[in-house]
Amino acid sequence: MKKHNQLLVATAALGLFVASCGTGVKKTPGGIEYIVHKSGSGAQLKLGDTALLNVTQRINDSLLGDSRKMVGAPIPVLVAKAQNKYDLMEGIALLHEGDSATFVIPWDSLPAQERPPFGKKGDKLKITFAVEGKYSAAAQKEKDEKLIKEYLEKNKINATKNAEGVYVAVTQEGAGGTPNPGDTVYVHYTGKLTTGKVFDSSQDSTMRPGMPLEPIKFPIGRGFVIKGWDAGLSGLKKGSKATLVIPSVLAYGLQGSPPVIPSNSILVFDVQLVDIKPGAPAPAAPVAPAAPAPVKK
């Protein structure tokens, strides 16, 4: 319970309480009381599934947090084996896709170090999970492809999909060479969601108050940035300007980057490859010493 309840109980991002109705109070095998508000028609969650949950938390009738408002998208939760009594994983594993249920835990039944500091003896911690579905990487990739094509068509962007899966539209061809892995690249950028909402920019002082407006620099191909940046910038010439449309699996993926980038977000970057500085080549793989020659006797 320590690991899971710290995530699902102590975090203020958890929670959506729905008033009790209809089906009556039930108990999990471990004794957690719960009420099902809505029964879904989907499959039951099982160990190893990544459930997409809208979650809210209350103490008694006081709202502590609502993931819909705080994150803006379902929270991904890996369904794991319950560790001990009052581990909410036990309750999550009872739910089906489409279900909504509230679990009730007496505040003073939790270990002292795991109790929310704003409760007291006799209080009830009420946590509601609404199961939006389960995450599938293959299904998400297919969904991304469809949404990207719709976005490109709507915005009249003529982009080419590269080998890694990033859509690249060069708007101004540079005259220099392309970067090699390990080279330091200097990049101006503006990042936005497909809704048009800008979440970051190296050229907008309102996005980075008090910081100088200068290109970001990093060694390309070394994992210092999201995969879509390494993949999209590696084919640009020095001086080029381009739009990169990056599938969620090559961006921040299922976790997103709350609160500005929701889970499974396709990202759009307008970039300018300002400069390239040669970097150190990747270290060669160690060579095993040759076996000694056999000695004649």
Side-chain angles (χ1 to χ4, degrees), residues 4-290:
H4 302 311
N5 277 1
Q6 285 172 354
L7 169 67
L8 300 174
V9 177
T11 305
L14 298 180
L16 165 66
F17 179 72
V18 180
S20 301
C21 62
T23 58
V25 177
K26 301 180 181 180
K27 283 190 177 183
T28 69
I32 302 174
E33 292 185 349
Y34 69 101
I35 298 169
V36 176
H37 307 291
K38 177 185 174 184
S39 295
S41 57
Q44 183 172 350
L45 301 178
K46 61 183 185 298
L47 296 182
D49 284 344
T50 297
L52 302 177
L53 306 177
N54 290 314
V55 194
T56 47
Q57 178 179 291
R58 284 180 179 264
I59 281 191
N60 302 324
D61 294 324
S62 298
L63 180 66
L64 302 179
D66 184 335
S67 66
R68 288 186 178 97
K69 296 178 180 178
M70 300 182 72
V71 180
I75 296 173
V77 175
L78 180 64
V79 182
K81 186 177 180 180
Q83 300 299 307
N84 48 35
K85 190 174 182 180
Y86 293 123
D87 188 335
L88 287 171
M89 280 294 164
E90 181 183 61
I92 291 172
L94 296 174
L95 301 178
H96 294 69
E97 292 181 69
D99 280 358
S100 175
T102 296
F103 295 84
V104 181
I105 300 177
W107 178 86
D108 49 345
S109 70
L110 295 171
Q113 69 273 18
E114 294 178 12
R115 296 172 188 167
F118 26 73
K120 63 183 184 301
K121 186 174 182 179
D123 284 345
K124 297 289 182 70
L125 190 62
K126 301 176 181 179
I127 302 142
T128 298
F129 299 110
V131 185
E132 290 287 313
K134 293 189 291 187
Y135 177 77
S136 162
Q140 185 62 44
K141 184 177 180 181
E142 184 177 339
K143 181 180 179 181
D144 283 355
E145 286 294 311
K146 180 176 182 292
L147 292 174
I148 287 173
K149 288 176 182 177
E150 290 174 355
Y151 176 83
L152 295 175
E153 182 177 348
K154 178 181 177 182
N155 292 277
K156 296 180 172 56
I157 298 173
N158 184 19
T160 301
K161 182 180 179 182
N162 67 16
E164 292 86 354
V166 176
Y167 286 80
V168 182
V170 177
T171 55
Q172 179 180 307
E173 187 81 54
T178 57
N180 295 311
D183 287 350
T184 297
V185 293
Y186 294 71
V187 183
H188 267 310
Y189 68 94
T190 296
K192 55 190 174 183
L193 306 177
T194 53
T195 60
K197 181 179 180 181
V198 175
F199 57 80
D200 197 8
S201 177
S202 64
Q203 297 180 292
D204 185 344
S205 59
T206 64
M207 306 298 297
R208 294 170 171 264
M211 297 179 65
L213 298 180
E214 59 187 21
I216 186 175
K217 63 178 181 177
F218 60 92
I220 196 167
R222 296 289 187 258
F224 283 82
V225 291
I226 59 174
K227 292 179 181 179
W229 259 45
D230 275 337
L233 292 168
S234 62
L236 298 182
K237 295 179 180 179
K238 177 181 173 179
S240 291
K241 293 182 179 180
T243 297
L244 309 180
V245 184
I246 302 176
S248 65
V249 293
L250 297 176
Y252 292 97
L254 180 61
Q255 299 299 326
S257 184
V260 292
I261 300 176
S263 172
N264 296 322
S265 291
I266 296 165
L267 302 183
V268 181
F269 287 94
D270 294 319
V271 299
Q272 178 184 4
L273 183 51
V274 177
D275 200 3
I276 303 171
K277 299 292 186 184
V287 178

